[in-house]
Amino acid sequence: MRLARPAGVVFAVLALAGSAQAAHGSAESTDTLRAPGDFHAFLLRADEPQATSFPRTPAFAWKPTAGAKRYELVLATSPLFRGSGLIWDDASLTTPVGAVPIALPWVTGNPHSLYARVRAINSKGNVGPWSAPFGFDVRWQSVPSQLSAPPGLVRWTTVEGATSYQVWFLNLNIGGQGINHSFETTTNVADEREYYTFHQTAPFMGAVQWRVRAVRQVYGKTANGVPAVSYGPWSQVFTSTNPTFAGGSFTDLATTSTADASPHPLMPGFSWNGDTGAYGRTELYRVAVFTDRDCLNQVFESPAVGSPAYAPRLTMTGLNLPTDTDLLSLARGQNLAPGNDPGHHADGTQVAPAELGAGATFAPTTVGTTSSSSSSSTGTQVPAITTTGPAVDLWDVNWPEGEYYWTVIPVRWAITSPAVTSLTPPAPPTTLPTGPPPAKPIAYQDDEIPQDACASGRVATFGKESQQPDTGGTIPYSSGLSPKGRLAPASTHKPAFFGPPLVAWTPPIGAQLFEVQWSKTSYPWRPVGNLYTYSTATTLPLTAGTWYYRVRGIDLFIPSGAAQMAWSANTPVVVSRPKFRVVGNGK
């Protein structure tokens, strides 16, 4: 997105990989410029206690330098800042604060894995010396812990900075090989489909051993192509013990996520008791979700599972359901591998489970009039994004006025007859068959249509409500150059800064991207401009005056067109005209 700029401010395009060190030892004059002092990183406000470990990408601040027209901020994987190690280089900063619009991976080193530095540039283009390298790490702050869950589900605590989770089932027997099995999910619950399907007895599903770790996906492009995915440590081995499988009619339909009841900030897991629908007992079940009480407008369905619970997955999804009687016999003695769902609805149409479908596409939109310049440090117009995993989340429905309706559908397997291709009866065999009888093909079909299941009373509701980013409340999370010429964080409800302020927020759970808008009025809201960033801080390109800004998360795993999450509160900030002259490195 191309952003308007304040008069007299020079914005530079992203420097080439080697430019950060090109002027090191240069013959250009540095007599009037000093190295910026007190260079440090922070998450929300520039006066936070000094830290070098952060769960997500930090912002940076330093004391203003006399004679500086702008600053260059550089990030690298080495304190030598060689070209091959550069991650980000921005020479367009006009105030002593800077944000990086990419999501840095979790990575630690000795003593650090990431380094940053800054230098001043005067109106003639002369550069000053670099600040001392600041070493820091982007690192997980906790390891998932086990939470209680209904039979058929496992559940864990969330980790700040995680974009998804990898679950590892330890005591499986897939193909007789005793294979461990792992998969990824965006929520904090997972079902135990492999343990239950075609063997709902204690030796198989009584005890489930599992571990989980947080995953951080790098969004945004770095200069040197650091790894796109990083991982936190595996949790300890947890054991979930399931009671005896409860048969009978379907009852006790419930949902769970980070919350035990609606509304859910993440896609919940679904659980129930029973195995018997209108036409008798079955071994497989399918969850279907609707936006209406009559269960007609379906927005989500699961693959068939044999567990009394379901939660969506991103990878290794579905089950490799046996397609003939021989394979079914094998399935009763071992766990199933992942695979597609070959089933059909009760009306004969093919099922389309969300977790076996395509990823969603998010197309950013531009607010306001574009100009001839943009600042790489504040965030840019990102291209349309198609996720690498399926769209397994759901959008807000204005809880409690709006809600989702869901039911569990019994799925039946049956031996099918070969199609009749000729009216001529087959010739009788000339010899008696020997050996075991040939395998017979199996097909899968839902026993009921959802509207009948819901009409019978087998229906439950849940709410989905995304969290708002927290921009700081009565004292906003904002920092910048004060009207008196000093680096300062906000200290009042309506803070004033000279030049573009840096604003930050705590991220809502489930967001991978953020949109920031600004308006001259809080109500009615009339956005003048917007930007997108993968970080949780950005510099607002505002001219002098009173402004209001707001932030919302983008959940890339919600179906296309509905990825936007809840807006933060409208937060004020004042951009003042200068009333100072820096005379000594901000001291």
Side-chain angles (χ1 to χ4, degrees):
M1 179 176 57
R2 306 182 73 82
L3 305 173
R5 60 179 180 178
V9 175
V10 179
F11 286 93
V13 297
L14 178 64
L16 297 176
S19 67
Q21 57 181 341
H24 188 69
S26 168
E28 289 185 295
S29 172
T30 61
D31 294 342
T32 59
L33 293 172
R34 298 181 181 179
D38 192 25
F39 181 62
H40 62 283
F42 65 96
L43 283 180
L44 297 174
R45 290 194 184 97
D47 62 345
E48 291 174 359
Q50 295 288 322
T52 58
S53 182
F54 305 91
R56 56 187 190 273
T57 305
F60 301 89
W62 54 92
K63 288 183 178 179
T65 301
K69 183 68 173 178
R70 53 191 173 95
Y71 300 91
E72 183 177 11
L73 173 66
V74 179
L75 269 66
T77 55
S78 165
L80 300 177
F81 293 90
R82 294 193 175 103
S84 62
L86 291 186
I87 296 175
W88 189 256
D89 187 340
D90 183 10
S92 69
L93 303 173
T94 59
T95 55
V97 284
V100 179
I102 55 178
L104 294 173
W106 284 332
V107 58
T108 58
N110 185 17
H112 299 289
S113 58
L114 298 166
Y115 295 86
R117 65 181 182 180
V118 67
R119 66 179 175 184
I121 304 173
N122 66 18
S123 58
K124 296 180 180 179
N126 296 331
V127 297
W130 289 107
S131 65
F134 175 81
F136 68 101
D137 300 293
V138 178
R139 186 180 189 274
W140 58 90
Q141 302 295 298
S142 63
V143 178
S145 300
Q146 183 176 15
L147 294 175
S148 61
L153 288 178
V154 297
R155 186 168 68 130
W156 57 90
T157 56
T158 57
V159 174
E160 184 178 1
T163 55
S164 60
Y165 298 89
Q166 191 174 46
V167 182
W168 179 10
F169 284 153
L170 301 174
N171 56 333
L172 289 174
N173 177 21
I174 297 176
Q177 302 300 313
I179 297 173
N180 294 328
H181 176 55
S182 63
F183 56 88
E184 199 167 322
T185 177
T186 60
T187 187
N188 72 315
V189 285
D191 64 61
E192 301 166 352
R193 65 186 74 171
E194 291 85 358
Y195 292 88
Y196 279 86
T197 303
F198 291 123
H199 27 67
Q200 298 167 341
T201 57
F204 283 92
M205 40 60 78
V208 175
Q209 295 178 352
W210 59 284
R211 303 178 77 174
V212 62
R213 65 177 176 179
V215 181
R216 181 168 171 82
Q217 173 75 47
V218 173
Y219 293 97
K221 186 177 181 180
T222 59
N224 70 340
V226 295
V229 182
S230 57
Y231 301 91
W234 284 107
S235 70
Q236 66 184 74
V237 177
F238 303 126
T239 299
S240 295
T241 303
N242 294 305
T244 301
F245 188 89
S249 299
F250 293 109
T251 59
D252 302 326
L253 277 65
T255 53
T256 185
S257 66
T258 55
D260 291 318
S262 292
H264 296 285
L266 292 172
M267 184 67 171
F270 303 83
S271 62
W272 58 89
N273 287 327
D275 60 0
T276 304
Y279 303 102
R281 177 183 177 274
T282 62
E283 295 183 87
L284 299 170
Y285 324 101
R286 188 185 316 284
V287 166
V289 182
F290 306 84
T291 56
D292 65 304
R293 174 65 180 79
D294 297 314
C295 297
L296 299 177
N297 184 31
Q298 182 170 301
V299 293
F300 186 95
E301 70 176 348
S302 77
V305 297
S307 50
Y310 167 76
R313 302 177 179 182
L314 281 179
T315 59
M316 306 292 283
T317 56
L319 286 172
N320 188 23
L321 298 175
T323 54
D324 62 44
T325 51
D326 283 352
L327 294 174
L328 177 60
S329 295
L330 289 174
R332 295 201 182 281
Q334 61 189 32
N335 305 106
L336 294 177
N340 291 323
D341 189 330
H344 290 77
H345 298 126
D347 62 5
T349 57
Q350 178 70 46
V351 298
E355 68 178 55
L356 298 176
T361 297
F362 173 69
T365 57
T366 301
V367 173
T369 303
T370 59
S371 72
S372 60
S373 179
S374 65
S375 173
S376 60
S377 66
T378 59
T380 60
Q381 173 73 316
V382 296
I385 303 167
T386 299
T387 57
T388 55
V392 291
D393 206 344
L394 290 171
W395 54 92
D396 291 4
V397 285
N398 192 33
W399 171 268
E401 289 79 10
E403 55 190 356
Y404 288 105
Y405 299 83
W406 73 278
T407 187
V408 55
I409 302 296
V411 180
R412 190 173 300 279
W413 65 265
I415 296 174
T416 61
S417 300
V420 177
T421 58
S422 173
L423 296 179
T424 304
T430 57
T431 59
L432 294 176
T434 60
K440 297 179 180 179
I442 289 176
Y444 299 85
Q445 189 160 3
D446 295 358
D447 244 9
E448 306 169 41
I449 59 174
Q451 71 177 67
D452 291 345
C454 293
S456 71
R458 191 201 313 150
V459 61
T461 63
F462 71 95
K464 182 75 164 41
E465 184 177 68
S466 60
Q467 297 175 336
Q468 296 176 287
D470 179 8
T471 56
T474 55
I475 307 296
Y477 298 136
S478 53
S479 304
L481 193 62
S482 75
K484 294 184 179 181
R486 297 182 182 276
L487 171 67
S491 59
T492 66
H493 176 60
K494 188 184 287 187
F497 302 100
F498 167 68
L502 184 144
V503 300
W505 55 91
T506 58
I509 190 171
Q512 299 88 29
L513 176 69
F514 303 93
E515 181 185 6
V516 185
Q517 288 186 358
W518 50 92
S519 167
K520 292 293 291 183
T521 58
S522 178
Y523 181 83
W525 184 265
R526 296 189 178 98
V528 175
N530 72 332
L531 59 83
Y532 293 89
T533 179
Y534 295 104
S535 182
T536 54
T538 191
T539 305
L540 298 179
L542 305 178
T543 56
T546 298
W547 294 87
Y548 297 86
Y549 64 92
R550 63 182 186 180
V551 186
R552 66 179 172 185
I554 307 295
D555 184 346
L556 300 176
F557 294 98
I558 291 178
S560 301
Q564 296 89 345
M565 300 168 70
W567 284 111
S568 70
N570 297 343
T571 306
V573 65
V574 177
V575 178
S576 301
R577 299 188 184 280
K579 300 178 182 179
F580 64 89
R581 182 170 64 91
V582 178
V583 295
N585 205 27
K587 297 181 180 179

